[in-house]
Amino acid sequence: MLAALGVAAAGPASAASDESVACPVTVPGRPSASGGGARAFSYGGHRLRVHIYWPGGTLPAGMLPDGGSMATVAQDGSIHAKVGWWRGGPGRLRITGRRLDGPASALHAHVPAGYGARGFQPSGIVFPTPGCWRVVGTSGDARLAFVVRVTTLPPP
């Protein structure tokens, strides 16, 4: 089994959750390297890695000041984010998750086919609500978990 590598830090809960509950977000222990391969994915180990690109463990959904976005908010209020993974061994990536700081349906994930049995694997993750979420990826016998605070930005 893979022991997740990295640093976890506690921070305030999102605006949509109970403020008395801390969210132990996952922050990579080292910056991701450019150039591709396993080192381009900032969190995990040699069997399964993920690219955690949101600052301070918080994934803001909505329009950023520069006009871009890290995640989008659907009409039903769910948050959609693209997340890249790297698989060091053969196996189909499966993603599950649950909200830690309040009730919510389980997250949904889309893992498209066609990327082979190992290496790069994109995914789409749908968080039903803002809040503190634990996400778990598995591929073969490798397992990797991280915690992210999902928030929404005010409309521009």
Side-chain angles (χ1 to χ4, degrees):
M1 176 151 337
L2 171 70
L5 304 173
V7 177
S14 75
S17 66
D18 180 349
E19 291 297 326
S20 66
V21 178
C23 184
V25 297
T26 302
V27 178
R30 59 192 173 283
S32 62
S34 60
R39 285 184 271 172
F41 297 83
S42 60
Y43 184 74
H46 70 283
R47 305 271 316 277
L48 186 60
R49 298 182 70 80
V50 66
H51 183 57
I52 296 177
Y53 57 91
W54 38 85
T58 298
L59 174 61
M63 186 72 67
L64 295 169
D66 67 2
S69 69
M70 290 186 183
T72 58
V73 182
Q75 283 189 304
D76 67 0
S78 62
I79 293 93
H80 299 237
K82 292 181 182 179
V83 179
W85 300 76
W86 180 86
R87 297 161 296 151
R92 181 170 182 227
L93 177 64
R94 298 186 192 287
I95 302 167
T96 60
R98 66 183 178 89
R99 188 169 167 187
L100 300 177
D101 62 346
S105 301
L107 65 78
H108 300 281
H110 174 68
V111 180
Y115 285 85
R118 62 179 64 212
F120 176 68
Q121 177 64 64
S123 72
I125 299 178
V126 179
F127 300 94
T129 64
C132 184
W133 287 86
R134 183 173 190 265
V135 178
V136 179
T138 57
S139 179
D141 62 356
R143 180 175 186 272
L144 179 65
F146 63 88
V147 176
V148 60
R149 182 184 310 109
V150 179
T151 63
T152 55
L153 298 169

